[in-house]
Amino acid sequence: MSAPTDEGDAQSLERVPSALSTREAWLDPFDWYAEMREDHPVRYDDHRECWDVFRYDDVDRILDDPETFSSDPRLASTIDLPPEDEQSPIMETMLLTDGDRHDRLRGVVEDWFRPRAIAGRAARFEEIAADLLDDAVEGGRMDVIDDFAYPFPVIVIAELLGVPSEDRPQFRRWSETLVETPTDTSEAATEAYQERQQEASEELAEYFEEKLDARAREPRDDLITVIAEAASEDRLTHEEALGFCMLLLVAGNITTTNLIGNAMRCLTAHPTALERVRDGSVSIESAVEEVLRYRSPVQALARIATEPVELRGTEIEAGDVVVPWLGAANRDGDVFADPGEFRIDRAPNPHFGFGRGTHYCLGAPLARMEARIGLNALFERAADIERRGETLQPVRSAFIYGVEEFPIEFRPRRDAASPSS
Ligand code: HEM
């Protein structure tokens, strides 16, 4: 998807609604969402050629009905995809399929991501967080994103997959290219962009191809082994196995980075809330749920209508792209009292931060645990945390929501950093 720019130039509007095309608007899109929920809850955007849907009930209905609202982009009448033999293995993943095939793919790793299985790895994740933070907190200043929120989930998923976390500069380059959003829509720029995407996808596929072969010969206790075994038993095709590895590497990184970054953005803006989390009067888990609602790392999804369907009196045709706005539904006053208030003890909190229905985020238990462990580790080492700097830069994507950098200053708590210090 294309990214917002400072100017809001015409080219940048290709995929982001024009109202959100400036830096300021994409940092805080919530007033616009409120207007849309009220006046245009289901609207067609001619420029992006899709329907936008803003109210909680409607988003719920779309995500709960995958037969009518499919995740398969191949069904869209307005999306140009490369020919099948040039498509990335990502197209062969659970995220972009429905029905029995989706369930078969998801079933391969589902047990691995269950809360109880993930909980068994907490001690290792705490060690990773400690390693990153012990260095980062030394001088009383750090960038939450670069020093911690980015490397932490990458190292975690690299370990779960069973790939060396030292390869992470490469993962970052591949992931960023794959989610990159062209701002220049001229023919030459589009061609160059497609080539870069194709190249990154091929390199990543080649990287995992080797790893899958190695695990087929020599199994270990990691996810690549699980995927290689499923492929050798014909439960996955070769392309599906490759796509699987790529999806797991990419899906959990940028999102979890932004959950941790957005949590710090919310908590430093609400010092009383931060204090209540620190002194234990409200659980970190409850605060993280409110961040997922209030500043959702994924603001929007995409579905394709498989048949003509009516939504709030509007006719949607088969093949139309429908965009359910999670970030807008999460601020719907019909479901959440005082939706514009950041309330860390909100209960119940039925937000859509991880989606809903059959595609509900597979990594939700992992992401929740990473956020809890990561934030706790930071609070143990840093007191009096304050945000530094005035200007925030939004992440350059029209569906992922967060900031590029988040500098903070604080008083290092050497006493609490580790039991031995
Ligand atoms: C804060 C962090 C995260 C957020 C906000 C998030 C959000 C989401 C959302 C909204 C969906 C639904 C997509 C749809 O319905 O089209 C989803 C699906 C998915 N997520 Fe996450 N995610 C996060 C972390 C992770 C992690 C850590 C992993 C795993 C390593 C992961 C793996 C997946 C997968 C595989 C799917 C596809 C599930 C399916 O199609 O059945 N996510 N995620």
Side-chain angles (χ1 to χ4, degrees), residues 51 61 65 67-69 304-311 314-320 322:
W51 296 92
R61 173 176 164 202
D65 182 1
E67 277 173 24
T68 313
F69 298 99
I304 320 298
T306 57
E307 55 187 72
V309 55
E310 200 189 289
L311 203 57
T314 308
E315 272 301 323
I316 293 177
E317 286 175 27
D320 283 0
V322 180

Short mmCIF file of all heavy atoms in Angstrom, two decimals, residues 51 61 65 67-69 304-311 314-320 322:
data_model
loop_
_atom_site.label_atom_id
_atom_site.label_comp_id
_atom_site.label_asym_id
_atom_site.label_seq_id
_atom_site.Cartn_x
_atom_site.Cartn_y
_atom_site.Cartn_z
N TRP A 51 -14.16 -0.32 -1.10
CA TRP A 51 -15.13 0.13 -0.11
C TRP A 51 -14.43 0.26 1.24
O TRP A 51 -13.66 -0.64 1.62
CB TRP A 51 -16.26 -0.89 0.04
CG TRP A 51 -17.08 -1.06 -1.21
CD1 TRP A 51 -16.88 -1.97 -2.21
CD2 TRP A 51 -18.21 -0.27 -1.59
NE1 TRP A 51 -17.81 -1.81 -3.19
CE2 TRP A 51 -18.65 -0.77 -2.84
CE3 TRP A 51 -18.89 0.79 -1.00
CZ2 TRP A 51 -19.74 -0.23 -3.50
CZ3 TRP A 51 -19.98 1.33 -1.66
CH2 TRP A 51 -20.40 0.82 -2.90
N ARG A 61 -19.21 -8.12 11.12
CA ARG A 61 -19.94 -8.95 10.16
C ARG A 61 -19.02 -9.41 9.02
O ARG A 61 -19.05 -10.58 8.62
CB ARG A 61 -21.12 -8.14 9.59
CG ARG A 61 -21.80 -8.87 8.48
CD ARG A 61 -23.01 -8.19 7.94
NE ARG A 61 -23.33 -8.78 6.65
CZ ARG A 61 -24.04 -8.19 5.72
NH1 ARG A 61 -24.53 -6.99 5.93
NH2 ARG A 61 -24.28 -8.80 4.59
N ASP A 65 -17.63 -13.57 8.27
CA ASP A 65 -18.27 -14.23 7.13
C ASP A 65 -17.28 -14.39 5.97
O ASP A 65 -17.39 -13.71 4.94
CB ASP A 65 -19.49 -13.40 6.71
CG ASP A 65 -20.25 -14.04 5.56
OD1 ASP A 65 -19.84 -15.14 5.09
OD2 ASP A 65 -21.25 -13.44 5.11
N GLU A 67 -17.00 -16.59 3.82
CA GLU A 67 -17.54 -17.09 2.55
C GLU A 67 -17.96 -15.94 1.64
O GLU A 67 -17.79 -15.99 0.42
CB GLU A 67 -18.72 -18.02 2.80
CG GLU A 67 -18.21 -19.41 3.12
CD GLU A 67 -19.30 -20.35 3.55
OE1 GLU A 67 -20.48 -20.12 3.19
OE2 GLU A 67 -18.97 -21.32 4.26
N THR A 68 -18.50 -14.89 2.24
CA THR A 68 -18.91 -13.73 1.45
C THR A 68 -17.77 -12.73 1.29
O THR A 68 -17.65 -12.06 0.27
CB THR A 68 -20.11 -13.02 2.13
OG1 THR A 68 -21.06 -14.01 2.51
CG2 THR A 68 -20.75 -12.00 1.22
N PHE A 69 -16.91 -12.64 2.33
CA PHE A 69 -15.81 -11.67 2.29
C PHE A 69 -14.50 -12.45 2.39
O PHE A 69 -14.01 -12.75 3.48
CB PHE A 69 -15.95 -10.66 3.43
CG PHE A 69 -17.21 -9.84 3.35
CD1 PHE A 69 -18.32 -10.17 4.11
CD2 PHE A 69 -17.29 -8.77 2.49
CE1 PHE A 69 -19.50 -9.43 4.04
CE2 PHE A 69 -18.46 -8.02 2.40
CZ PHE A 69 -19.57 -8.36 3.17
N ILE A 304 -12.40 -9.49 -0.15
CA ILE A 304 -12.99 -9.42 -1.49
C ILE A 304 -14.39 -10.03 -1.42
O ILE A 304 -14.54 -11.16 -0.93
CB ILE A 304 -12.18 -10.24 -2.53
CG1 ILE A 304 -10.66 -10.09 -2.31
CG2 ILE A 304 -12.61 -9.88 -3.95
CD1 ILE A 304 -10.09 -8.73 -2.45
N ALA A 305 -15.38 -9.28 -1.92
CA ALA A 305 -16.75 -9.82 -1.93
C ALA A 305 -16.81 -10.96 -2.95
O ALA A 305 -16.37 -10.80 -4.09
CB ALA A 305 -17.73 -8.72 -2.29
N THR A 306 -17.34 -12.12 -2.53
CA THR A 306 -17.41 -13.26 -3.44
C THR A 306 -18.74 -13.29 -4.19
O THR A 306 -18.91 -14.05 -5.14
CB THR A 306 -17.28 -14.59 -2.67
OG1 THR A 306 -18.31 -14.63 -1.68
CG2 THR A 306 -15.91 -14.71 -2.03
N GLU A 307 -19.71 -12.50 -3.72
CA GLU A 307 -21.02 -12.44 -4.37
C GLU A 307 -21.62 -11.06 -4.09
O GLU A 307 -21.12 -10.37 -3.19
CB GLU A 307 -21.94 -13.54 -3.78
CG GLU A 307 -22.04 -13.45 -2.27
CD GLU A 307 -22.81 -14.62 -1.66
OE1 GLU A 307 -22.27 -15.74 -1.64
OE2 GLU A 307 -23.95 -14.38 -1.23
N PRO A 308 -22.65 -10.68 -4.82
CA PRO A 308 -23.25 -9.38 -4.53
C PRO A 308 -23.78 -9.38 -3.10
O PRO A 308 -24.39 -10.36 -2.66
CB PRO A 308 -24.40 -9.27 -5.53
CG PRO A 308 -24.10 -10.28 -6.59
CD PRO A 308 -23.31 -11.37 -5.93
N VAL A 309 -23.54 -8.31 -2.35
CA VAL A 309 -23.95 -8.29 -0.94
C VAL A 309 -24.33 -6.86 -0.55
O VAL A 309 -23.77 -5.90 -1.07
CB VAL A 309 -22.81 -8.85 -0.03
CG1 VAL A 309 -21.49 -8.12 -0.24
CG2 VAL A 309 -23.20 -8.83 1.44
N GLU A 310 -25.32 -6.76 0.36
CA GLU A 310 -25.74 -5.43 0.79
C GLU A 310 -25.16 -5.13 2.16
O GLU A 310 -25.22 -5.97 3.06
CB GLU A 310 -27.27 -5.40 0.84
CG GLU A 310 -27.82 -4.01 0.79
CD GLU A 310 -29.31 -3.99 1.07
OE1 GLU A 310 -30.08 -4.45 0.21
OE2 GLU A 310 -29.68 -3.53 2.17
N LEU A 311 -24.60 -3.95 2.29
CA LEU A 311 -24.04 -3.55 3.57
C LEU A 311 -24.58 -2.16 3.90
O LEU A 311 -24.33 -1.21 3.15
CB LEU A 311 -22.51 -3.52 3.47
CG LEU A 311 -21.69 -3.66 4.74
CD1 LEU A 311 -22.03 -4.95 5.48
CD2 LEU A 311 -20.20 -3.65 4.41
N THR A 314 -26.13 -0.44 1.06
CA THR A 314 -25.30 -0.21 -0.13
C THR A 314 -25.02 -1.53 -0.82
O THR A 314 -24.71 -2.51 -0.16
CB THR A 314 -23.94 0.40 0.29
OG1 THR A 314 -24.21 1.53 1.12
CG2 THR A 314 -23.13 0.82 -0.91
N GLU A 315 -25.14 -1.55 -2.17
CA GLU A 315 -24.88 -2.78 -2.93
C GLU A 315 -23.39 -2.92 -3.23
O GLU A 315 -22.79 -2.03 -3.85
CB GLU A 315 -25.63 -2.72 -4.27
CG GLU A 315 -27.05 -3.24 -4.23
CD GLU A 315 -27.17 -4.70 -3.79
OE1 GLU A 315 -26.30 -5.51 -4.16
OE2 GLU A 315 -28.14 -5.01 -3.06
N ILE A 316 -22.81 -4.01 -2.81
CA ILE A 316 -21.41 -4.29 -3.12
C ILE A 316 -21.38 -5.44 -4.11
O ILE A 316 -22.12 -6.42 -3.94
CB ILE A 316 -20.66 -4.63 -1.81
CG1 ILE A 316 -20.61 -3.36 -0.94
CG2 ILE A 316 -19.26 -5.18 -2.09
CD1 ILE A 316 -19.97 -3.55 0.40
N GLU A 317 -20.56 -5.31 -5.16
CA GLU A 317 -20.57 -6.35 -6.20
C GLU A 317 -19.50 -7.41 -5.96
O GLU A 317 -18.48 -7.14 -5.32
CB GLU A 317 -20.30 -5.71 -7.56
CG GLU A 317 -21.50 -4.94 -8.07
CD GLU A 317 -21.19 -4.21 -9.37
OE1 GLU A 317 -20.29 -4.67 -10.11
OE2 GLU A 317 -21.86 -3.20 -9.61
N ALA A 318 -19.73 -8.59 -6.53
CA ALA A 318 -18.73 -9.66 -6.45
C ALA A 318 -17.42 -9.15 -7.07
O ALA A 318 -17.44 -8.50 -8.12
CB ALA A 318 -19.21 -10.89 -7.20
N GLY A 319 -16.29 -9.40 -6.41
CA GLY A 319 -15.00 -8.95 -6.93
C GLY A 319 -14.57 -7.61 -6.37
O GLY A 319 -13.42 -7.20 -6.55
N ASP A 320 -15.48 -6.90 -5.67
CA ASP A 320 -15.10 -5.61 -5.08
C ASP A 320 -14.21 -5.81 -3.86
O ASP A 320 -14.40 -6.77 -3.09
CB ASP A 320 -16.36 -4.84 -4.61
CG ASP A 320 -17.09 -4.20 -5.78
OD1 ASP A 320 -16.62 -4.35 -6.93
OD2 ASP A 320 -18.13 -3.55 -5.53
N VAL A 322 -13.11 -4.76 -0.18
CA VAL A 322 -13.74 -4.14 0.98
C VAL A 322 -12.67 -3.99 2.07
O VAL A 322 -11.97 -4.95 2.38
CB VAL A 322 -14.90 -5.03 1.52
CG1 VAL A 322 -15.56 -4.41 2.73
CG2 VAL A 322 -15.92 -5.29 0.41
#
